[in-house]
Amino acid sequence: MTAPLLLVDGHYLLHRAWYGFASRIMSRDKTIDRTGVFGFTALLRKAQTQHADGFEIFVVFDSEDGSQARSGQDNNYKAQRPAPEPGLIDSLALVKTALDHTEVRWIEQDGCEADDVIATLATSARTEGRAVDIMTTDKDYISLLGDPSVRLLNTGFAMESRYTVGEHILPRYGVLAEQWPDFRALMGDPTDNIAGIRGIGAKTAARLLANGRRLEDIPSDELRPAWTEQWPQVLRWRKMINLDTKTALPRSLLTGVPTAPLPAAARALEALDLW
């Protein structure tokens, strides 16, 4: 039996590391900000210790051109996001070096967003019977939770609230996990700058999708004329929100072998001469 799998949204964890510490973590000569790489390695080690002992850990990063395909469908996609700080960008290469040093496998697939790579790896792992946890705060992954052996992990929450599973979605949002792309297409997704239909919020979207309906199943008499006019755009938004579970990836990315215990962040940086 191969090890369960922890898939890590790399840019999420780096962003959390960069902004999540009360004070900056500097090199010994106080000239270089090491908060990103220190925080990333510390948070990943903590996740392994508390939640993923005996798991294979695999980290996925967005590629620089990863969002182009979706932006081609709607040029507003993620357009509101500010450019990352230079220090944050510089930290990314150091994080990858630290992962290599600790023998944690990772990928940044050209032309792909991490969402699609993680969805593909999760789907592949499930065909082999492996349980899958995804470390992220991105709600797009909710669509994968129709499988009871897939969970979302947010270590920023209190211990008892860190996992989101499929059975949480209906009482929380009024829709099933499999309906998530339909739900978000109707009400919008501010994180990705997807507008949704004006006048449709979470409650109305859930009502329209009652009893497991998809967009195609909503009776026309339940839609206002203004909503019907926007329907082609809604279908396009759903396609953008849908995760690609068949992304072309190199073979044998996953080993099925548990990741060895990770060193303390300070020790990892010391070994890499990053202090």
Side-chain angles (χ1 to χ4, degrees):
M1 183 68 177
T2 52
L5 177 64
L6 175 65
L7 293 167
V8 180
D9 182 340
H11 276 85
Y12 144 72
L13 192 58
L14 178 56
H15 189 274
R16 181 178 163 200
W18 184 255
Y19 293 106
F21 285 77
S23 58
R24 308 312 295 171
I25 300 168
M26 305 299 293
S27 58
R28 287 198 176 98
D29 61 7
K30 308 300 182 185
T31 61
I32 305 174
D33 192 329
R34 298 300 196 203
T35 307
V37 62
F38 180 93
F40 190 102
T41 52
L43 291 169
L44 188 59
R45 180 175 186 264
K46 185 176 181 180
Q48 182 190 44
T49 301
Q50 295 183 341
H51 300 288
D53 182 33
F55 281 57
E56 178 181 4
I57 298 174
F58 194 94
V59 181
V60 182
F61 297 100
D62 291 305
S63 73
E64 288 188 18
D65 60 348
S67 63
Q68 284 187 0
R70 287 182 171 93
S71 295
Q73 298 175 58
D74 186 336
N75 57 18
N76 291 316
Y77 180 69
K78 294 187 177 181
Q80 87 290 6
R81 297 190 180 185
E85 296 180 21
L88 180 60
I89 297 173
D90 295 340
S91 295
L92 182 57
L94 297 177
V95 164
K96 292 173 180 176
T97 299
L99 290 173
D100 288 339
H101 174 72
T102 54
E103 298 184 350
V104 174
R105 294 162 67 86
W106 60 272
I107 189 173
E108 181 181 310
Q109 181 72 6
D110 288 345
C112 295
E113 293 190 72
D115 304 25
D116 297 319
V117 177
I118 287 175
T120 298
L121 292 174
T123 301
S124 175
R126 288 299 303 128
T127 63
E128 299 173 1
R130 302 176 66 182
V132 177
D133 290 346
I134 302 171
M135 188 175 179
T136 187
T137 56
D138 190 338
K139 290 182 178 177
D140 287 346
Y141 294 108
I142 285 174
S143 63
L144 300 177
L145 298 183
D147 186 327
S149 293
V150 178
R151 305 183 295 183
L152 305 185
L153 172 64
N154 183 350
T155 58
F157 287 162
M159 186 67 76
E160 65 275 10
S161 304
R162 290 184 174 181
Y163 287 108
T164 298
V165 297
E167 65 184 22
H168 295 153
I169 305 308
L170 182 59
R172 191 174 295 175
Y173 299 103
V175 295
L176 301 171
E178 298 90 332
Q179 295 173 284
W180 190 254
D182 304 70
F183 181 66
R184 286 300 238 188
L186 288 170
M187 64 172 287
D189 183 355
T191 302
D192 289 340
N193 209 35
I194 292 175
I197 294 182
R198 183 168 182 159
I200 294 184
K203 289 184 178 180
T204 301
R207 176 177 58 78
L208 291 171
L209 297 171
N211 302 314
R213 294 193 300 204
R214 308 304 291 262
L215 294 178
E216 294 83 358
D217 304 323
I218 300 173
S220 58
D221 61 4
E222 294 186 24
L223 300 175
R224 298 175 185 174
W227 299 351
T228 303
E229 290 175 7
Q230 295 183 65
W231 214 246
Q233 180 73 353
V234 174
L235 296 175
R236 184 159 57 249
W237 285 329
R238 182 179 63 177
K239 183 178 179 181
M240 292 166 60
I241 294 166
N242 263 318
L243 301 180
D244 182 1
T245 61
K246 297 181 179 180
T247 303
L249 299 173
R251 293 189 176 187
S252 304
L253 285 178
L254 302 177
T255 66
V257 177
T259 299
L262 299 177
R267 191 148 53 94
L269 269 61
E270 188 78 47
L272 291 168
D273 196 24
L274 292 179
W275 285 126

